[in-house]
Every structure is written in C-alpha cells, then in structure tokens.
C-alpha cells in the first residue's frame, strides 16, 4: 500500500534505485581440525537437539567417529543421515566426508600428546586463587576458540570497508554496547569519523542518514537483539556496507550483514551468562579490525594517534607540588 500511494503522487518520476552492493566474499573454507571443537562449543546451543547429539558426539570422540560412515554415525547418535549431513554443514563443512577428514586430523592431534581439557567451572566456595586460575583458563580458551573460528576473508573485507568509510556507525546494547564504544574510541584516535549508538531510537535515526560509502557495524552475541538488528537493517536498506559481530551467525542479524564475524564465548554459568562472557571474544574481534584498519591507513593513522597522545599527555603527568 505504501508503494502504491507513493506512485500516485510521483507517477512521472522514476523510482529511486538502491545503490549497488559490494560483492560478497567467497564462502569460507571449512574449519581445520583445531577449530572443530571451537565450532561445536560456539554453535551447539543454537542447534536442534538431534544435531546437538551429533556435534557433541564427534567432538568427544573424533577418533571413533572418523571411522564411521554417515549411516554409522546416525545410528550411534540415534538420528538420521540427513541430520548428520545438516550438522556437518552447520559446522562449516560442505558434507560429511569433509567432517570425517577433520575428525581424523583432530584425533591425530590428540594422540600426539596434547594436554587434556581442564574444566573452568567455578564453585560457590572456591577460594580466590582458584577463581583467578579458572577464569584465566576460560578466557584463554574463549580467545583461542574465537581466533580459530574467525574467517580471515570476512575480517579482511570488513577492514577494507572500514578503512575506506566516509562514516562509521556502531550499534550495541548492554555489554556489547561497551565493546562498540571501545572500537569507536580507537577509530577516533586514528582520525576516522565514527559514532557509537547505544540508544535504539538514536541508532535508527542515524542509520537513516547512511548511504553507500558508509559502514554500519552491529554487535550482538545472540544475533537476535531487536535494538541492534533494526538500525543495521535500516543502514543496509540505505546502501551502507554492513558488518555483524555475533556468536550466532545463523541469527536474524546475518540477514542484513554483508560481512559476518563469528565470536565464541566461555561456557555459561549462573553468574556469567552469555551476554557477559561474550565480551572477551568481541573485544578480540574489535582489536583485529582496529589493527587491520590502522595498517591500511598507517600514513594518516600514525600522525593522528601521536597527536591525540600529545593532546592528552599533560593529563597523565604527575602534578607539581609547591
């Protein structure tokens, strides 16, 4: 109805054409053996129960599962051959044959003497030294999982877009909003025009102003945060290049993202829900983007960073006592 009403007033005017979108990067290559366990930890929570059984089984026993046919794995997990194939594809492999190859590689790595996994669960009565050690282990695993699961082609494409952007808008709420502010602060210090939006209304009204040559970046662990999806959709519709940082690449946010950067998270607990534990992996992705942009724009970034440092230097100097 909206289009028809508009046409009644502008019958002689040609319909505005949407700016041409940049070509999407080639599909990511299948994850290597070292990334398989990370993929399972990241994606299993969003899978169906039958697919979870397949994913968790291959992660727990890569050696045994690598010797099974698709029919054999389906029988072992109480699922169907179609479910096994779908699970393989969700994990990033074109088919079950590719997953079997990765399982065989992972089994070989484990047989070489890799240290067994240590749980990072924290009990209510754990002493502080144990809390520190377990959290440090959990953070290291989260960073390793995120690094293993990141697609370099997607990161490269996002860096290229940010480096050439006329303006950059970043959307995020809650803990993700803090990560967005961290990225914007870094970009501002190397001379880029960037804005962080935590208010969903302001985010949408600013997204309307974006166009081709601008970049909109959304951060949401769940991939389903409406206050983040809406401004990214508006920016996408107006021709801006869009980037999503999310722990669930199959979430709704991906529909409006030209480039999707997948994060991992530490295992959830009562005191550390996904919204909090996801911050570590998001900060790693943000730092990768910033360093990549700084490399691309070094001739202007280095002087800008030096100038901002000099402008703030007097605030960090010890006060003279009289």
């Amino acid at each position: 109805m909206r289009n028809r009403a508009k046409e009644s007033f502008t019958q002689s005017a040609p319909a505005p054409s949407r700016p041409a979108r940049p070509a999407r990067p080639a599909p990511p290559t299948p994850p290597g053996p070292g990334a398989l366990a990370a993929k399972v930890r990241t994606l299993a929570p969003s899978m169906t129960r039958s697919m979870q059984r397949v994913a968790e089984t291959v992660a727990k026993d890569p050696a045994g599962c690598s010797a099974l046919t698709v029919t054999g794995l389906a029988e072992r997990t109480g699922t169907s051959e179609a479910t096994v194939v779908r699970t393989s594809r969700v994990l990033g492999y074109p088919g079950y044959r590719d997953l079997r190859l990765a399982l065989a590689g992972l089994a070989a790595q484990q047989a070489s003497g890799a240290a067994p996994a240590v749980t990072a669960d924290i009990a209510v009565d754990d002493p502080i030294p144990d809390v520190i050690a377990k959290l440090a282990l959990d953070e290291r695993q989260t960073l390793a999982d995120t690094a293993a699961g990141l697609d370099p082609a997607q990161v490269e494409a996002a860096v290229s877009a940010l480096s050439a952007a006329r303006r950059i808008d970043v959307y995020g709420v809650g803990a993700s909003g803090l990560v967005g502010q961290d990225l914007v602060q870094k970009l501002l210090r190397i001379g880029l025009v960037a804005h962080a939006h935590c208010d969903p209304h302001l985010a949408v009204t600013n997204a309307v102003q974006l166009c081709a040559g601008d970049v909109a970046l959304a951060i949401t662990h769940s991939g389903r945060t409406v206050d983040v999806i809406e401004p990214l959709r508006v920016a996408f519709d107006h021709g801006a290049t869009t980037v999503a940082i999310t722990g669930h690449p199959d979430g709704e946010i991906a529909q409006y993202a030209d480039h999707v950067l997948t994060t991992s998270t530490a295992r959830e607990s009562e005191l550390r829900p996904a919204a909090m534990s996801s911050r570590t992996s998001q900060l790693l992705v943000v730092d990768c983007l910033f360093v990549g942009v700084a490399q691309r724009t070094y001739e202007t970034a280095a002087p800008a960073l030096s100038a901002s440092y000099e402008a703030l230097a007097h605030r960090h100097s010890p006060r003279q006592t009289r």
Side-chain angles (χ1 to χ4, degrees), residues 28-32 34-39 42-43 91 141-155 246 249 260-264 284-285:
T29 55
L36 176 58
K39 279 281 189 179
T42 301
L43 299 177
L91 290 174
Q141 186 64 63
T142 297
L143 292 173
D145 288 354
T146 299
L150 271 178
D151 178 15
Q154 292 284 335
V155 176
T246 179
V260 178
L261 309 181
T262 305
T263 60
S264 177
L284 173 61
V285 176

Side-chain angles (χ1 to χ4, degrees), residues 15-300:
S17 59
R18 191 182 184 281
R21 304 202 65 77
R24 291 180 182 270
T29 55
L36 176 58
K39 279 281 189 179
V40 172
R41 281 190 290 267
T42 301
L43 299 177
S46 63
M47 294 178 177
T48 63
R49 290 187 178 181
S50 59
M51 292 174 68
Q52 284 179 358
R53 289 202 299 273
V54 175
E56 292 170 356
T57 299
V58 299
K60 289 178 181 177
D61 184 18
C65 292
S66 67
L68 297 175
T69 63
V70 64
T71 303
L73 183 56
E75 291 176 352
R76 176 171 173 175
T77 56
T79 60
S80 65
E81 294 180 9
T83 299
V84 172
V85 173
R86 283 198 301 270
T87 306
S88 301
R89 290 174 178 169
V90 169
L91 290 174
Y93 303 93
Y96 179 62
R97 178 178 177 276
D98 304 274
L99 175 59
R100 284 184 69 183
L101 291 175
L103 290 173
L106 180 57
Q109 288 182 2
Q110 293 178 346
S112 66
V118 180
T119 179
D121 293 336
I122 300 174
V124 173
D125 57 352
D126 273 347
I128 288 298
D130 288 356
V131 171
I132 295 172
K134 290 180 178 181
L135 280 177
L137 173 66
D138 208 25
E139 298 285 343
R140 287 197 297 271
Q141 186 64 63
T142 297
L143 292 173
D145 288 354
T146 299
L150 271 178
D151 178 15
Q154 292 284 335
V155 176
E156 186 79 24
V159 166
S160 297
L162 289 167
S163 301
R166 178 186 68 94
R167 165 180 163 181
I168 301 165
D169 276 17
V170 181
Y171 315 126
V173 295
S176 296
L178 298 177
V179 176
Q181 292 178 39
D182 179 80
L183 174 60
V184 166
Q185 176 181 315
K186 290 181 169 74
L187 296 176
L188 288 173
R189 292 197 65 175
I190 59 173
L192 274 66
V193 179
H195 309 274
H197 299 288
C198 297
D199 184 297
H201 291 187
L202 289 176
V204 171
T205 55
N206 278 272
V208 172
Q209 308 302 322
L210 299 183
C211 59
D214 297 328
V215 172
L217 187 149
I219 307 174
T220 164
H221 168 69
S222 69
R224 300 188 301 271
T225 307
V226 176
D227 289 341
V228 175
I229 292 173
E230 183 64 14
L232 193 72
R233 180 189 65 77
V234 172
F236 180 88
D237 290 342
H238 281 74
T241 299
T242 51
V243 180
I245 298 176
T246 179
H248 297 273
D250 56 343
E252 185 181 352
I253 193 75
Q255 298 179 30
Y256 309 109
D258 294 307
H259 312 296
V260 178
L261 309 181
T262 305
T263 60
S264 177
T265 62
R267 286 178 296 163
E268 294 188 56
S269 67
E270 183 179 3
L271 296 180
R272 296 190 81 214
M276 294 171 63
S277 61
S278 62
R279 187 186 69 251
T280 299
S281 55
Q282 290 172 349
L283 285 171
L284 173 61
V285 176
V286 160
D287 281 349
C288 289
L289 292 176
F290 170 73
V291 171
V293 171
Q295 289 177 316
R296 293 286 186 90
T297 62
Y298 185 78
E299 291 186 0
T300 56

